[in-house]
Amino acid sequence: MPRQSDPHAKIKLLTAAEEEFVEHGLDRAKVEDISARAGLSKGAFYLHFASKEDAFKQLVETTLARLAHFVDAIPREEANEVFEDMARSMEFWLAKDLEIFEFIWQNRGLMRLLLEGGSSLRYRHLMDEFAERTRHVIVQSIALGAGRGFYRDDLDSDLASAFIAGAYDRYARQLVQLAKKPDLEGALRKMQTMVVRGVGSDALLAHVRPRAAAVSGDSPVIVPAQPVGPTRALAGGDR
Amino acid sequence: MPRQSDPHAKIKLLTAAEEEFVEHGLDRAKVEDISARAGLSKGAFYLHFASKEDAFKQLVETTLARLAHFVDAIPREEANEVFEDMARSMEFWLAKDLEIFEFIWQNRGLMRLLLEGGSSLRYRHLMDEFAERTRHVIVQSIALGAGRGFYRDDLDSDLASAFIAGAYDRYARQLVQLAKKPDLEGALRKMQTMVVRGVGSDALLAHVRPRAAAVSGDSPVIVPAQPVGPTRALAGGDR
DNA sequence: GCTGTCAGTGACTGGCGGGTCAACTATGGT
DNA sequence: ACCATAGTTGACCCGCCAGTCACTGACAGC
């Protein structure tokens, strides 16, 4: 049994590959550069991966799988009776959001690549699949909340989902660009407040920042600079 | 003066190029395929464009310039006194949104490419520039509205902008995927309602779907199927 | 009809980079 | 020491495609 293979080789290659993909996108990342960055040769790369795309797929699939794991857990937990209580329900969702966005932060390089689409059009389906799967979980999860009068009854479900998804989606896109980790919990709490104001029933709304806002705790920032208006739609429309 | 050039050649090439770019992305679109689709030869392509990227830049730049035109017009129009009246102000914004989304619909092929990032990472800056420019216009435009008490004073401006931009951004992404043109005005009106509920002051809120919803006109759809909940973030998936 | 010009052509070139493999090297067993 | 085995290397091969250019032929003017 002569010569042992470097047990870290594959990990080093995956790390290097992620960095190169994030920097240049799938198409323009070069296998030579990936192996060089890992301190190995081109040949070594092909000992561990069938092709450049194979490495990419492994990266993306494992990341999305781990992300999906958080989502898949929801239906089970939701059978719980906490959902009879709106306040506790909101806390549950907040905790879920926090878990998910924490993961996004930790994997911000790859997530940025996926969200910004540097993975060439042929890989959109991976993201789409994940999205569809998530949507399905959400639909069944939330049916409960709907029955419990959590939401306004005059909503257009397509638009409301665009509305909610858009807000969190955009925050995710913003997050992966940051250099320093922000106060995730505070941000998600505020986001939840705005979303609930937008689509929640009056009953649910009562559980959100009960009355006046500026009491003490988590600094409701008053910012005259860059106020907000009903446009900015579009593209990277904001920072 | 021998031989006239086909006056439609460049237009045919641009059209074909747009289609190929939309289908395959910048990197994988082939100049041969573009010219073939235009019914011309590869050589003809290079009579009109310095390179493949040149054609791409021309397409993107002209489209973004036309889009920016709508946005740039806002500050001038906003000097108007309609902005003293909240209801008229909302109608103004709605009209603007409609104009912009109408344009997006008409150019959905290219917009899809830009939003989904099939243009290789090196062209993000074009979109980013546009976004930054838009942001600037919005900031100065809305400063007015803030002074007039249009918005809640406990907003975190970064998050509120993510919230608003996200909603419209997501709707744009959804729109460019559709095969059939939806009722844009109805959709944007509902979106505005949700957004205003999320960030508007109580005063502004009073101008939105005054009281109960289901009166007559624009069908407030009640949809038990796929209800909506505070999740779906993320990529197409939303929280 | 003849000629000069120039839009348009498409075979060809060059190089880039994904993927291969014969040679090389480190290691453990005898 | 020497061999057998398996990990590692990087020069090489080759397909692909952006970009070139000598050539073709349509057309205007005479």
Side-chain angles (χ1 to χ4, degrees):
Chain A
M1 226 129 286
R3 190 81 183 273
Q4 317 230 352
S5 73
D6 178 352
H8 301 306
K10 185 164 183 182
I11 292 173
K12 284 196 289 188
L13 281 167
L14 276 174
T15 307
E18 179 171 339
E19 288 165 358
E20 288 291 327
F21 287 145
V22 166
E23 248 168 69
H24 306 288
L26 172 58
D27 283 342
R28 303 180 101 91
K30 293 175 230 173
V31 174
E32 294 244 19
D33 292 349
I34 293 174
S35 357
R37 190 184 277 239
L40 293 168
S41 71
K42 197 173 175 176
F45 181 91
Y46 286 97
L47 286 177
H48 296 280
F49 306 103
S51 66
K52 184 170 71 161
E53 306 219 340
D54 178 41
F56 182 75
K57 263 173 76 174
Q58 287 193 28
L59 273 172
V60 174
E61 280 172 353
T62 58
T63 304
L64 286 186
R66 284 192 289 154
L67 194 50
H69 184 255
F70 293 122
V71 177
D72 289 346
I74 294 178
R76 286 194 305 282
E77 302 173 23
E78 225 174 9
N80 203 300
E81 77 286 351
V82 290
F83 283 82
E84 298 306 330
D85 179 337
M86 283 185 181
R88 288 168 71 194
S89 201
M90 299 256 305
E91 285 305 317
F92 169 84
W93 282 111
L94 187 65
K96 272 290 160 200
D97 290 347
L98 195 52
E99 200 173 74
I100 291 170
F101 277 82
E102 188 72 47
F103 181 86
I104 292 174
W105 170 256
Q106 277 161 14
N107 297 274
R108 58 192 177 282
L110 200 57
M111 289 309 299
R112 193 187 319 140
L113 189 64
L114 289 172
L115 289 170
E116 293 299 340
S119 31
S120 125
L121 294 178
R122 291 172 310 115
Y123 281 83
R124 256 240 303 282
H125 76 274
L126 286 173
M127 206 61 187
D128 291 347
E129 246 166 52
F130 169 72
E132 183 49 37
R133 197 170 156 192
T134 305
R135 201 181 71 77
H136 182 252
V137 169
I138 299 307
V139 166
Q140 71 180 89
S141 305
I142 302 304
L144 289 161
R148 291 162 174 148
F150 280 23
Y151 309 106
R152 292 186 168 268
D153 58 7
D154 59 335
L155 291 179
D156 175 316
S157 65
D158 272 356
L159 281 171
S161 66
F163 170 78
I164 297 168
Y168 286 96
D169 184 338
R170 170 56 62 104
Y171 185 62
R173 285 168 202 269
Q174 215 166 286
L175 181 65
V176 299
Q177 302 286 350
L178 297 180
K180 202 171 135 287
K181 186 176 175 184
D183 169 21
L184 275 182
E185 186 183 337
L188 290 171
R189 199 177 284 281
K190 289 171 188 162
M191 193 62 89
Q192 190 183 49
T193 301
M194 291 188 285
V195 168
V196 166
R197 280 196 181 124
V199 299
S201 64
D202 290 338
L204 187 62
L205 223 151
H207 293 283
V208 144
R209 305 219 154 199
R211 277 295 97 182
V215 196
S216 61
D218 56 342
S219 61
V221 191
I222 301 184
V223 210
Q226 191 195 330
V228 173
T231 305
R232 305 202 54 165
L234 276 211
D238 46 281
R239 63 177 55 231
Chain B
M1 224 131 285
R3 187 80 182 276
Q4 313 230 352
S5 72
D6 178 351
H8 301 305
K10 186 166 181 180
I11 293 173
K12 283 195 291 189
L13 282 168
L14 276 173
T15 307
E18 179 171 339
E19 289 165 357
E20 288 290 328
F21 287 145
V22 166
E23 249 167 69
H24 307 288
L26 172 57
D27 284 341
R28 304 181 99 93
K30 293 176 230 174
V31 174
E32 294 244 20
D33 292 348
I34 293 173
S35 358
R37 191 184 277 237
L40 292 168
S41 69
K42 197 172 178 178
F45 180 91
Y46 286 96
L47 288 175
H48 297 280
F49 306 101
S51 65
K52 185 171 72 161
E53 305 218 342
D54 178 42
F56 182 76
K57 263 174 76 172
Q58 287 193 29
L59 273 172
V60 174
E61 281 172 354
T62 58
T63 304
L64 286 186
R66 285 193 288 155
L67 194 51
H69 185 255
F70 292 123
V71 178
D72 290 344
I74 293 177
R76 288 194 303 282
E77 301 172 24
E78 225 173 12
N80 203 301
E81 76 289 348
V82 289
F83 282 81
E84 299 306 329
D85 179 336
M86 283 185 179
R88 288 168 71 194
S89 199
M90 299 257 305
E91 283 305 316
F92 169 85
W93 282 111
L94 187 66
K96 271 292 158 196
D97 292 345
L98 195 52
E99 202 173 72
I100 290 169
F101 277 82
E102 188 70 47
F103 181 85
I104 292 173
W105 171 255
Q106 278 162 14
N107 296 275
R108 57 191 176 284
L110 201 56
M111 291 309 299
R112 193 186 318 139
L113 188 63
L114 289 172
L115 288 171
E116 293 300 338
S119 29
S120 122
L121 294 179
R122 291 172 312 115
Y123 281 84
R124 255 237 306 280
H125 76 275
L126 287 173
M127 207 60 188
D128 290 348
E129 249 166 50
F130 170 72
E132 183 48 37
R133 199 170 155 190
T134 306
R135 201 181 70 77
H136 182 252
V137 169
I138 300 308
V139 166
Q140 69 179 91
S141 305
I142 302 304
L144 288 162
R148 289 163 175 146
F150 280 25
Y151 308 106
R152 290 184 172 270
D153 57 7
D154 60 336
L155 291 180
D156 175 318
S157 65
D158 272 356
L159 281 171
S161 67
F163 171 77
I164 297 168
Y168 286 96
D169 184 338
R170 168 57 62 103
Y171 185 62
R173 285 168 202 269
Q174 212 165 290
L175 181 64
V176 299
Q177 302 286 352
L178 297 180
K180 203 169 137 288
K181 186 176 176 184
D183 169 21
L184 274 182
E185 188 185 335
L188 290 171
R189 198 176 285 281
K190 289 170 190 161
M191 193 62 87
Q192 191 183 49
T193 301
M194 290 187 286
V195 167
V196 166
R197 279 196 182 123
V199 299
S201 63
D202 291 340
L204 187 62
L205 223 149
H207 293 282
V208 143
R209 305 218 156 196
R211 280 295 95 186
V215 196
S216 60
D218 56 340
S219 61
V221 192
I222 302 184
V223 209
Q226 190 197 331
V228 174
T231 302
R232 302 203 55 159
L234 274 211
D238 330 327
R239 122 166 11 208

